[in-house]
Amino acid sequence: MDFESIRKYWDDRASLDHTAQSTTQDVFLREIEARVLADAVRKYAVSTILDVGCGDARTTSRLASEFKDKHFSAFDYAQSMVTNSRATVEGLGLTNIELFQHDATKPFPVTGMDMAYTTRCLINLPGWDLQRQAIDNILSSLRQDGIYVMIENFVEGQSNFNALRTRFNLPEIAIRDHNLFFIQNQTEEYLSKYFSIEESTNISSTYYMVSRVIYSSICASQGTAPDYFDKHHELAAQLPFSGEYGPVRMLCLRKK
Ligand SMILES: C[S@@+](CC[C@H](N)C(=O)[O-])C[C@H]1O[C@@H](n2cnc3c(N)ncnc32)[C@H](O)[C@@H]1O
C-alpha cells in the first residue's frame, strides 16, 4: 500500500471505531507496551515526553495519568485519531498532554524533548527511506542524551513465531499489507550511528508463545476462533520476557 492509502486506512479506522481496539485488536499487547514505557519514564527520570503516532492516545493518557508531574506531547497524522485522542484526554480530565496532527516523516514542531517513543507507528511507513526519515526527525526532536524508546515490529521475531506455529500445525500469520517490519541488523546498524543502544528486548516473545501458539492450538483443537480478550492473552501479558518468538521489540536508545 502507498503512503496516502495507509493514512486513509488509519483515518477511516479511527472514525469508524472509538473503542480500545481502534489502533490494535491486541489490547493486551498494549498493556505490555504501557508497562515498559512507564518503567522507562522512571528509569531515565525524564520530564518531557513525545509520543510519535499516538493513535487514540490511550497509551499516552495512561502514562500522563500515572505521571502527573511530567509533560506529554503526542501527535498522529490521521485527523480522526487526533479527534479521538482529544476525547480520551478530555474524558480523563488530563491537563499534561498537548495533542496535535503531524506527519512523522516531516520535521517535528517540538525540540529539546527528554524522551520520545513510538509504539508500532514506523512500521506503517512504506519504505526504509521513509522509516529512516522519521527516525532522523525523532533524533532532532530530542535534547542531547535524550532517549528514544522504539517499540516496533521486526521480521526476525515474526519468522520465529511462525516457525513455531508450523511445528504445531498452525498456519503462518502474514504481515499485513500496510505494514513494513524492520530488519534487526540493518536497523541497529543505522541507529547506532546516532544513538547508543542501551537495551534491545523482545517484549512480545512470551506473550506470542502463549497467545499465538498454545492458545491458538487449543482453539484449533476445539474448532473455535481465537478471542483477543481471552484469559490466555491477559495472563500471558503478565509473564516475564523470554526468547525471540514475537515480532515486537523495544530498543532503548540514547542520543549521542
Ligand atoms: C498501530 S497504530 C498504534 C497507535 C498507538 N501508537 C498505540 O500504540 O496505540 C499506528 C498509528 O501510527 C499512526 N501513523 C502512521 N504513520 C504515521 C506518520 N507518518 N505520522 C504520524 N502518525 C502515523 C497511525 O495513524 C496510527 O494511529
Side-chain angles (χ1 to χ4, degrees):
M1 275 167 83
D2 63 28
F3 185 89
E4 279 311 323
S5 308
I6 299 171
R7 188 207 294 252
K8 185 172 181 317
Y9 166 85
W10 286 114
D11 214 32
D12 290 349
R13 193 159 158 170
S15 57
L16 294 170
D17 184 356
H18 299 249
T19 71
Q21 287 188 300
S22 74
T23 62
T24 176
Q25 289 181 292
D26 200 344
V27 291
F28 288 109
L29 175 64
R30 206 175 37 223
E31 292 291 313
I32 297 176
E33 294 169 348
R35 197 174 70 230
V36 295
L37 283 168
D39 288 346
V41 169
R42 277 186 288 270
K43 175 176 174 186
Y44 296 110
V46 288
S47 297
T48 53
I49 299 149
L50 172 68
D51 182 349
V52 175
C54 62
D56 59 4
R58 274 172 208 264
T59 296
T60 296
S61 297
R62 189 149 153 194
L63 294 171
S65 305
E66 185 173 346
F67 301 102
K68 289 258 167 43
D69 58 331
K70 320 278 185 201
H71 186 268
F72 291 81
S73 303
F75 71 80
D76 201 283
Y77 70 171
Q79 182 54 53
S80 308
M81 284 293 177
V82 179
T83 304
N84 290 357
S85 294
R86 289 200 200 290
T88 310
V89 168
E90 280 162 22
L92 292 167
L94 294 166
T95 54
N96 56 337
I97 305 186
E98 174 201 5
L99 293 164
F100 52 98
Q101 184 186 13
H102 187 72
D103 170 5
T105 65
K106 303 281 183 295
F108 297 178
V110 289
T111 53
M113 303 301 293
D114 294 336
M115 177 173 143
Y117 64 86
T118 55
T119 48
R120 292 164 290 99
C121 169
L122 305 187
I123 54 167
N124 295 286
L125 295 171
W128 174 228
D129 283 354
L130 282 175
Q131 289 176 326
R132 275 186 303 193
Q133 210 169 308
I135 290 169
D136 293 351
N137 292 334
I138 291 169
L139 180 77
S140 302
S141 74
L142 292 171
R143 66 161 164 80
Q144 196 61 37
D145 292 328
I147 300 291
Y148 169 32
V149 181
M150 177 183 192
I151 299 180
E152 297 287 343
N153 298 42
F154 288 77
V155 290
E156 292 81 358
Q158 175 81 8
S159 314
N160 291 348
F161 90 79
N162 269 326
L164 258 189
R165 281 178 63 91
T166 305
R167 273 173 45 196
F168 282 74
N169 296 318
L170 294 165
E172 290 196 3
I173 297 177
I175 296 173
R176 296 205 175 124
D177 283 352
H178 60 273
N179 285 158
L180 174 66
F181 286 11
F182 287 88
I183 299 165
Q184 206 176 324
N185 281 349
Q186 181 189 58
T187 309
E188 291 191 350
E189 189 183 321
Y190 184 72
L191 290 168
S192 52
K193 290 184 194 166
Y194 310 104
F195 297 95
S196 36
I197 301 177
E198 302 216 334
E199 186 181 340
S200 177
T201 307
N202 191 318
I203 59 168
S204 58
S205 180
T206 319
Y207 181 65
Y208 264 63
M209 282 193 281
V210 175
S211 64
R212 304 310 202 271
V213 181
I214 294 176
Y215 171 56
S216 292
S217 293
I218 294 169
C219 289
S221 66
Q222 293 175 343
T224 54
D227 172 5
Y228 283 102
F229 291 98
D230 186 86
K231 202 77 184 162
H232 285 85
H233 283 244
E234 184 185 343
L235 295 174
Q238 296 167 44
L239 290 169
F241 304 134
S242 176
E244 291 290 345
Y245 295 97
V248 187
R249 247 189 133 69
M250 173 184 69
L251 288 104
C252 296
L253 307 159
R254 189 182 289 282
K255 182 175 177 175
K256 285 182 179 169

